[in-house]
Amino acid sequence: MRRCLMGGLLLIFFLGGCTTKEPFDFDEIHSYKIFYNMPTEAIIEDMARYDLVIIEPIWYTPEQIETIRSNGTKVLGYINVMEADTWNRALIGQMDKDDFFYRDGERIYFPKWDSYLTDISSSDFRKILIREIQKQVINKHLDGIFLDTVGDIDDVHLDYPDDLEEQLAGLEAFLQAIEQAYPGVPVVQNWGIETLERTSAPYVEGFMWEGFNYTEITSDSWSMEMLDRMNAIQDEYGIAVLTVSDQEEATSRDMAEANGFIHYHEPTYYNTWDF
């Protein structure tokens, strides 16, 4: 369905060709797990229990990826889109000051994650991200791309219409570049329902909703509205919805599955592997 477009020929030539994969069917994904830490042989072997794993590919060799995939497990590679982690010096070392987002002359810093908000409207930064996808996802033969922190656009820019429009336009240009360079490679967006509705729905195959906890959602009118809107987007675009709970595993899973979502329960965080 996707093909290399003329607008991406120079980018494709630079990357070494148009990479086409056979897309996997999310209808065949019934279990998944997220893991961002360095793997062990035991963890890699245990990944065979899941239909899908989402990993930080920096910590993996192509051989390890092939071992995971040889058991039929699909693998998505984590790409941080709207934040630059200070620990990732190789990435930050490529960035100029204009690749960060500024408000009132100051960069926006997230103390919890030790990261800075990026400016996706920067064409240079988009090229950095494409190179990261090539290096960490395509060259290592992963099955797809997991775009994290896209929800920052909703969280940070919704009350600033000019900034919002600029960031959404930059995100769309980025998603178009992915589509042109890597036709057939599935893309999953993490959070940002407003951004999904306004811009990214035509370009992604999956969407992740973290914090999908039964009581939090059913007792909050905004969350219930988001659930209705998510169902509408899913119906219109055929997007797979992956949910994550950290409380009330049984009722949260039941609610997710009742809505046709693929659920995962993680009571701690994504840096530990529970056998």
Side-chain angles (χ1 to χ4, degrees):
M1 186 175 179
R2 293 182 176 177
R3 57 188 175 87
C4 293
L5 304 176
M6 289 299 293
L9 284 179
L10 290 177
L11 176 61
I12 293 164
F13 176 78
F14 173 76
L15 293 172
C18 180
T19 303
T20 303
K21 293 182 73 68
E22 185 69 29
F24 62 87
D25 189 347
F26 275 97
D27 289 339
E28 298 175 358
I29 303 299
H30 305 290
S31 63
Y32 78 99
K33 188 173 176 67
I34 306 169
F35 183 63
Y36 293 154
N37 213 335
M38 290 179 283
T40 63
E41 289 186 13
I43 289 173
I44 289 174
E45 181 179 345
D46 200 49
M47 285 180 174
R49 293 195 292 122
Y50 298 90
D51 298 325
L52 171 72
V53 292
I54 301 172
I55 64 169
E56 170 54 88
I58 286 176
W59 310 125
Y60 294 75
T61 66
E63 291 76 21
Q64 289 173 316
I65 298 298
E66 189 54 39
T67 298
I68 299 168
R69 296 182 68 246
S70 66
N71 295 311
T73 301
K74 304 300 182 183
V75 185
L76 298 184
Y78 174 100
I79 299 293
N80 198 347
V81 177
M82 296 304 301
E83 296 177 29
D85 299 302
T86 60
W87 66 263
N88 195 344
R89 296 182 181 180
L91 180 74
I92 285 188
Q94 302 175 60
M95 297 174 65
D96 295 326
K97 62 180 182 66
D98 292 339
D99 297 328
F100 296 93
F101 184 85
Y102 296 79
R103 179 157 290 145
D104 299 326
E106 299 290 335
R107 290 195 294 179
I108 295 178
Y109 177 66
F110 300 100
K112 181 177 181 179
W113 309 115
D114 191 19
S115 62
Y116 288 92
L117 188 68
T118 60
D119 187 350
I120 196 66
S121 72
S122 164
S123 60
D124 288 336
F125 180 60
R126 295 197 299 269
K127 291 175 184 177
I128 291 171
L129 291 179
I130 290 292
R131 289 198 297 268
E132 194 74 1
I133 290 171
Q134 179 70 33
K135 179 180 179 181
Q136 300 297 342
V137 177
I138 303 304
N139 291 352
K140 294 183 179 180
H141 309 295
L142 277 70
D143 295 286
I145 307 162
F146 180 71
L147 301 180
D148 195 27
T149 63
V150 176
D152 284 354
I153 296 177
D154 284 13
D155 295 340
V156 178
H157 300 301
L158 273 182
D159 293 332
Y160 299 86
D162 291 342
D163 292 337
L164 177 64
E165 183 177 350
E166 187 177 65
Q167 295 303 302
L168 290 177
L171 178 67
E172 184 166 27
F174 174 54
L175 293 170
Q176 288 172 342
I178 294 175
E179 186 175 67
Q180 292 170 11
Y182 310 117
V185 177
V187 175
V188 174
Q189 171 182 321
N190 191 14
W191 202 228
I193 290 180
E194 292 275 358
T195 292
L196 187 71
E197 286 180 322
R198 294 168 185 252
T199 301
S200 53
Y203 302 98
V204 302
E205 284 70 36
F207 178 86
M208 180 174 288
W209 183 331
E210 294 180 291
F212 196 84
N213 300 312
Y214 178 81
T215 298
E216 290 180 9
I217 290 175
T218 57
S219 62
D220 178 61
S221 59
W222 180 87
S223 296
M224 292 301 293
E225 178 189 344
M226 292 302 106
L227 185 59
D228 289 339
R229 289 162 67 177
M230 192 68 251
N231 282 319
I233 297 170
Q234 186 180 36
D235 290 342
E236 180 175 358
Y237 293 97
I239 295 172
V241 180
L242 289 75
T243 53
V244 186
S245 63
D246 57 19
Q247 304 170 27
E248 305 171 298
E249 179 176 6
T251 52
S252 300
R253 184 179 300 278
D254 288 345
M255 181 171 60
E257 293 178 352
N259 285 277
F261 303 161
I262 308 165
H263 192 68
Y264 162 52
H265 183 71
E266 178 52 70
T268 55
Y269 189 59
Y270 310 135
N271 286 334
T272 59
W273 185 273
D274 301 318
F275 290 91

